[in-house]
């Protein structure tokens, strides 16, 4: 007998399934939702109550109770959220959940559409346009329509058309309705815009292309018009779980209903009190009227909060109570008692900025971490003075609501008008403004600039009228308006008046044709104009602005590059938390932001306020000014909703 040398090898077996102790690892509210046998479920997860934990434990409970992961569909709004939930679920059950269908609505929609492209008339292998590709195709269509119509030079930029069309798709509204409601400045050119959109849709079909927003639209069309396909997927997905249901739009809610139609085991998790994204197309009615779509739905409320002190939660509960259209619930803290939120009346926005920066500096001097502090606001323009004061004190900050104030294109644009009046030989500012005019690019701007310098003894401002002959004919009308604006600016030395003149002269129209967030940018410039009132000289104002725009705060504190204060709009702050939160600009007209838009909703503004309050863990400061450059202003009506006994007023001395 031949004996072989033996070597041991351990098989890499799949780990045994862990038995999760649900009753020990979940609170009572979470446990009831996680272990619900099935049927339609609406889980109202208040801020800081363990929404993600509830969803992942639900996946684990389903798998441990015999549901194959391949029969579970988990829909989220970000790939990051999907991956994190699947990682946690795998950790809980100690097994493989890669077969689970998890991802964003668009990811899942694309997976399904790739298998059934021909059913919608597409050829196999259709391509998906990213945002840059979409803008490029819109630009091509815009150019074609402009060439066919001599009066089409004032068509909006491709980026504006892209956002307009996206909102149309996500709200299932007509383009004409969206223009009237959200882009009223473009109504005079509505017919031409509709022609561009029609050409864009035609070209996509010809080229076998779909854009990002087509995915949801096509998914719903596929499921509604092809019963066999709908039945296959709704039978396959025994359980459908949806994260952030309050942020779904009409198409997403309809897709969820179609994909869960057979088993009707849908778990929608969200918080109606945090529905704040209607400007993106989110439909508040989806979560508010869930029980109307699913009359037999069970409603669960998660109200045990692990984030904030009782004093902060009592304030937040009182603030949201004024809303009539909501699911009533009061968050209850598991934490010990803390300090009451502070109400801080301040003379004006400059004193507001000084207070915020001073308190932050005090916290750092006492050994606190900047990373635990956030300054939140309704609109980006409200951060200007705070940015300037933090820079002055050398406190590093990270702006989450957009670019730093003086780095923004529209701020640089408007200052360029003032610069060429102050210094007529400022070539950079001249070319910046010239290139805003239709048909003028780098080469033409250089040609016009050379013409302006032709006569050394005549400054450029004296030659700008005749320089129009070097501009293309298509820009003649806009060039004339530009010249008229410069002529008026030459008579003005007060920088605030100069900014207003440049806006009314030509720049405001350019804003609405160029930027999708023109309203917000206009408020930035209005704030800059108000700030400039304290300057009597444009030269002095420009020097100060140049210094502010060039100075940088210290790179780090104690050598930690991640140590910085966060400056963020409340929309950007949703889902995050900080130990200390300052909410600034709490004045009527600013927060709530009272817009002229027809769909303005005070209750959504109040929900936004509620989101701001519930970002704070330990300390909360509510700041408002009682005077502005125009006179006395009122504190926000939302502050008045809060019983005075819940707040501690700070007197500035």
């Amino acid at each position: 007998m031949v004996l072989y040398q033996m070597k041991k090898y351990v098989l890499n077996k799949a780990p045994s399934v862990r038995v999760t102790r649900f009753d020990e690892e979940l609170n009572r509210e979470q446990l009831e939702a996680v272990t619900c046998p099935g049927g339609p479920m609406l889980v109202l997860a208040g801020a800081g109550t363990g929404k993600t934990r509830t969803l992942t434990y639900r996946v684990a409970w389903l798998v441990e109770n015999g549901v194959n992961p391949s029969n579970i569909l988990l829909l989220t709004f970000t790939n990051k959220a999907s991956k994190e939930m699947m990682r946690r679920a795998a950790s809980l059950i100690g097994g493989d959940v890669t077969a689970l269908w998890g991802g964003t609505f668009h990811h899942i929609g694309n997976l399904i559409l790739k298998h059934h492209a021909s059913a919608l008339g597409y050829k196999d292998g259709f391509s998906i346009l990213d945002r840059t590709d979409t803008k490029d195709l819109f630009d091509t269509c815009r150019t074609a329509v402009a060439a066919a119509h001599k009066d089409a030079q004032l068509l909006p930029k491709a980026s504006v058309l892209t956002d307009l069309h996206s909102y149309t798709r996500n709200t299932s509204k007509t383009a004409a309705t969206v223009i009237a409601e959200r882009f009223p400045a473009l109504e005079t050119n509505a017919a031409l815009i509709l022609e561009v959109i029609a050409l864009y849709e035609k070209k996509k079909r010809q080229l076998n292309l779909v854009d990002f927003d087509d995915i949801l639209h096509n998914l719903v069309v596929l499921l509604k018009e092809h019963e066999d396909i709908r039945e296959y997927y709704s039978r396959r997905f025994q359980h459908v779980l949806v994260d952030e249901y309050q942020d779904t739009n009409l198409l997403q809610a309809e897709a969820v209903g179609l994909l869960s139609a057979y088993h009707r085991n849908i778990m929608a998790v969200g918080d109606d009190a945090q529905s704040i994204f209607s400007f993106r197309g989110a439909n508040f009615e989806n979560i508010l009227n869930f029980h109307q779509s699913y009359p037999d739905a069970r409603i669960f409320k998660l109200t045990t909060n692990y984030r904030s002190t009782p004093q902060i939660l009592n304030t937040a509960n009182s603030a949201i109570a004024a809303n009539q259209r909501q699911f009533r619930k009061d968050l209850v803290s598991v934490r010990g008692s803390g300090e009451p939120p502070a109400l801080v009346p301040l003379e004006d926005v400059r004193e507001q900025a000084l207070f915020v920066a001073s308190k932050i500096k005090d916290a750092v001097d006492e050994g606190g971490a900047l990373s635990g502090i956030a300054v939140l606001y309704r609109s980006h323009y409200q951060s200007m003075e705070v940015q300037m004061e933090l820079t002055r004190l050398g406190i590093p900050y990270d702006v989450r609501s957009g670019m730093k104030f003086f780095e923004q294109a529209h701020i640089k644009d408007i200052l360029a008008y003032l610069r060429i009046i102050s210094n007529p030989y400022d070539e950079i500012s001249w070319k910046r403004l010239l290139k805003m005019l239709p048909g003028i690019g780098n080469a033409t701007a250089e040609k016009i600039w050379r013409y302006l310098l032709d006569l050394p003894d005549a400054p450029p401002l004296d030659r700008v009228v005749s320089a129009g002959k070097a501009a293309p004919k298509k820009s003649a009308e806009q060039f004339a308006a530009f010249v008229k604006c410069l002529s008026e600016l030459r008579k003005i030395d007060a920088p605030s008046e100069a900014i207003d003149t440049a806006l009314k002269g030509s720049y405001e129209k350019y804003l609405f044709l160029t930027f999708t967030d023109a309203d917000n940018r206009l408020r930035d410039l209005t704030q800059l104009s108000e700030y400039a009132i304290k300057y009597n000289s444009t030269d002095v104002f420009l020097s100060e602005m140049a210094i502010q725009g060039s100075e940088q705060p210290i790179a780090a504190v104690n050598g930690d590059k991640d140590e910085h204060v966060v400056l963020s709009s409340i929309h950007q702050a949703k889902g995050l938390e900080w130990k200390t939160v300052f909410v600034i600009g709490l004045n009527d007209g600013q927060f709530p932001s009272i817009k002229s838009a027809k769909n303005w909703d005070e209750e959504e503004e109040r929900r936004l306020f509620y989101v701001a309050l519930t970002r704070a863990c330990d300390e909360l400061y509510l700041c408002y000014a009682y005077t502005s450059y125009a006179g006395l202003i009122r504190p926000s009506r939302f502050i008045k909703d809060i019983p005075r006994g819940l707040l501690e007023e700070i007197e500035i001395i």
Side-chain angles (χ1 to χ4, degrees):
M1 177 182 284
V2 179
L3 295 177
Y4 296 97
Q5 185 175 353
M6 302 297 291
K7 195 176 193 179
K8 293 183 178 181
Y9 179 79
V10 179
L11 289 173
N12 186 18
K13 298 179 181 178
S16 58
V17 175
R18 172 195 170 196
V19 177
T20 308
R21 296 180 176 85
F22 294 97
D23 56 344
E24 296 178 11
E25 298 172 16
L26 299 170
N27 66 36
R28 179 186 56 80
E29 296 168 335
Q30 294 167 341
L31 183 65
E32 287 182 359
V34 164
T35 59
C36 180
M41 305 163 54
L42 177 61
V43 181
L44 297 166
T49 60
K51 169 180 66 69
T52 301
R53 185 178 186 83
T54 301
L55 273 167
T56 52
Y57 271 77
R58 175 66 173 175
V59 172
W61 187 84
L62 290 173
V63 173
E64 288 191 14
N65 282 272
V67 179
N68 192 306
S70 65
N71 298 130
I72 300 173
L73 173 62
L74 173 61
L75 292 165
T76 65
F77 275 83
T78 66
N79 286 314
K80 181 180 178 181
S82 173
K83 291 175 182 177
E84 176 62 15
M85 288 184 195
M86 292 178 71
R87 183 193 66 77
R88 289 197 200 180
S91 176
L92 281 174
I93 65 176
D96 184 9
V97 294
T98 54
L100 184 150
W101 281 55
T104 65
F105 281 88
H106 292 88
H107 172 70
I108 298 299
N110 184 49
L111 288 179
I112 294 173
L113 291 172
K114 284 291 186 182
H115 287 289
H116 307 284
S118 60
L120 292 176
Y122 289 97
K123 304 179 185 69
D124 289 340
F126 64 80
S127 299
I128 299 175
L129 298 170
D130 62 20
R131 184 169 175 82
T132 301
D133 296 332
T134 299
K135 286 167 62 178
D136 288 344
L137 184 56
F138 258 120
D139 199 39
T140 298
C141 298
R142 176 183 177 276
T143 302
V145 171
H149 298 272
K150 293 182 179 179
D151 59 346
Q153 281 80 30
L154 292 181
L155 275 169
K157 301 287 187 184
S159 57
V160 177
L161 292 168
T162 299
D163 273 24
L164 189 159
H165 182 261
S166 176
Y167 188 81
T168 299
R169 271 282 196 245
N170 286 309
T171 57
S172 300
K173 294 181 178 181
T174 65
T177 300
V178 171
I179 292 170
E181 289 181 354
R182 292 180 58 84
F183 300 86
L186 305 179
E187 281 194 276
T188 53
N189 264 349
L192 290 173
I193 292 172
L194 296 180
E195 190 174 332
V196 175
I197 292 174
L199 181 58
Y200 170 77
E201 292 294 339
K202 180 180 178 181
K203 280 189 172 293
K204 279 193 301 179
R205 276 290 180 177
Q206 290 174 340
L207 301 172
N208 203 36
L209 301 171
V210 298
D211 62 32
F212 191 67
D213 298 301
D214 287 332
I215 295 174
L216 289 179
H217 174 79
N218 288 343
L219 175 63
V220 169
V221 170
L222 178 73
L223 296 174
K224 288 175 73 172
E225 296 184 357
H226 298 273
E227 184 179 352
D228 56 332
I229 296 174
R230 179 176 70 251
E231 184 170 352
Y232 169 78
Y233 285 103
S234 67
R235 280 179 176 270
R236 172 170 189 151
F237 298 133
Q238 295 176 20
H239 290 269
V240 177
L241 286 68
V242 189
D243 187 23
E244 303 285 13
Y245 193 75
Q246 79 281 349
D247 293 336
T248 55
N249 60 35
L250 286 171
L251 288 173
Q252 289 164 329
E254 195 168 5
V256 168
L258 292 166
L259 291 169
S260 61
Y262 184 81
H263 297 285
R264 299 185 75 253
N265 293 324
I266 170 177
M267 181 186 196
V269 182
D271 184 8
D272 61 298
Q274 297 186 75
S275 179
I276 59 173
F277 291 110
S278 65
F279 69 94
R280 293 182 186 168
N283 193 318
F284 179 62
E285 305 296 331
N286 291 344
I287 190 166
L288 190 68
N289 297 327
F290 186 84
H291 58 290
Q292 293 182 15
S293 301
Y294 305 93
D296 56 335
R298 294 189 60 183
I299 297 179
F300 301 87
K301 294 182 180 181
L302 306 185
T303 60
T304 304
N305 178 282
Y306 296 90
R307 174 187 299 159
S308 306
T309 64
Q311 286 77 8
I312 291 173
L313 290 187
N314 290 339
T315 301
N317 290 334
S318 296
I320 198 65
N323 273 7
Q324 297 301 309
R325 305 180 71 231
Q326 64 167 308
F327 292 99
R328 299 280 176 180
K329 58 184 180 299
D330 284 336
L331 299 185
V332 179
S333 177
V334 300
R335 298 185 54 193
S337 183
E339 294 295 321
L343 179 63
V344 193
L346 297 138
E347 182 178 355
D348 53 28
V349 291
R350 284 173 287 180
E351 186 172 82
Q352 177 177 255
L354 181 60
F355 169 77
V356 171
S358 297
K359 289 291 291 184
I360 292 171
K361 188 175 186 304
D362 290 344
V364 173
D365 291 344
E366 293 169 8
L370 287 177
S371 57
I373 302 173
V375 182
L376 305 183
Y377 35 82
R378 173 62 179 85
S379 301
H380 183 58
Y381 75 88
Q382 294 172 305
S383 70
M384 183 185 80
E385 288 84 1
V386 174
Q387 288 187 43
M388 295 170 74
E389 194 60 34
L390 291 176
T391 300
R392 188 183 69 80
L393 292 178
I395 298 173
Y397 60 90
D398 179 27
V399 181
R400 301 275 178 86
S401 53
M403 298 178 70
K404 292 185 177 180
F405 195 81
F406 293 102
E407 295 174 357
Q408 299 174 101
H410 56 293
I411 300 298
K412 291 184 175 182
D413 290 345
I414 209 72
L415 291 179
Y417 281 96
L418 276 62
R419 285 195 176 109
I420 61 175
I421 300 301
S422 177
N423 173 19
Y425 295 93
D426 185 339
E427 177 183 354
I428 295 172
S429 294
W430 271 106
K431 288 182 176 178
R432 183 180 192 93
L433 297 179
L434 288 169
K435 285 189 288 186
M436 292 181 198
L437 305 178
I440 297 182
N442 288 327
T444 306
E446 175 67 22
K447 180 180 177 182
I448 295 172
W449 171 245
R450 290 297 167 196
Y451 183 90
L452 292 172
L453 292 179
D454 267 355
L455 293 176
D457 56 338
L461 283 169
D462 290 342
R463 293 180 54 76
V464 68
V465 175
S466 57
K469 64 181 70 173
K473 289 183 179 179
K474 69 165 84 175
S475 67
E477 183 180 341
Q478 290 76 23
F479 195 90
F482 172 59
V483 171
K484 182 181 178 182
C485 180
L486 293 181
S487 176
E488 292 175 2
L489 285 171
R490 295 181 74 175
K491 306 170 188 174
I492 300 169
D493 192 44
S496 178
E497 186 183 351
I499 291 170
D500 293 341
T501 300
L503 269 173
K504 294 171 185 174
S506 56
Y507 192 70
E508 186 172 343
K509 182 179 288 187
Y510 173 82
L511 268 181
F512 283 95
L513 291 171
T514 307
F515 301 109
T516 58
D517 57 346
D519 282 325
N520 292 333
R521 292 175 188 259
L522 186 57
R523 282 194 290 274
D524 283 349
L525 295 170
T526 301
Q527 187 76 359
L528 183 65
S529 172
E530 290 180 352
Y531 181 80
I533 287 175
K534 66 179 183 178
Y535 294 91
N536 295 319
S537 164
T538 297
D539 288 344
V540 174
F541 172 72
L542 288 172
S543 297
E544 291 268 339
M545 295 305 99
I547 292 169
Q548 285 287 345
S550 300
E551 284 185 348
Q552 296 295 327
I554 54 177
V557 173
N558 299 329
D560 186 347
K561 66 180 180 180
D562 295 324
E563 274 295 301
H564 51 248
V565 177
V566 169
L567 273 58
S568 176
S569 69
I570 301 164
H571 286 101
Q572 292 286 340
K574 185 179 176 293
L576 304 175
E577 61 183 60
W578 293 270
K579 289 185 176 181
T580 301
V581 168
F582 297 86
V583 185
I584 64 172
L586 285 168
N587 289 93
D588 258 3
Q590 298 177 19
F591 197 176
S593 173
I594 300 175
K595 300 180 181 179
S596 59
K598 298 173 185 177
N599 59 348
W600 182 78
D601 184 350
E602 182 175 313
E603 291 210 346
E604 179 163 336
E605 289 287 305
R606 188 175 282 107
R607 293 194 293 270
L608 190 62
F609 181 53
Y610 174 82
V611 168
L613 302 183
T614 53
R615 299 311 94 198
C617 300
D618 302 335
E619 293 182 278
L620 175 63
Y621 296 89
L622 306 179
C623 305
Y624 71 91
Y626 50 83
T627 65
S628 74
Y629 303 103
L632 293 174
I633 49 177
R634 294 180 299 177
S636 171
R637 66 193 69 180
F638 297 158
I639 293 175
K640 298 176 183 177
D641 292 338
I642 303 170
R644 279 296 175 266
L646 297 180
L647 302 174
E648 179 180 63
E649 187 166 327
I650 293 180
E651 181 183 1
I652 302 299
I653 57 175

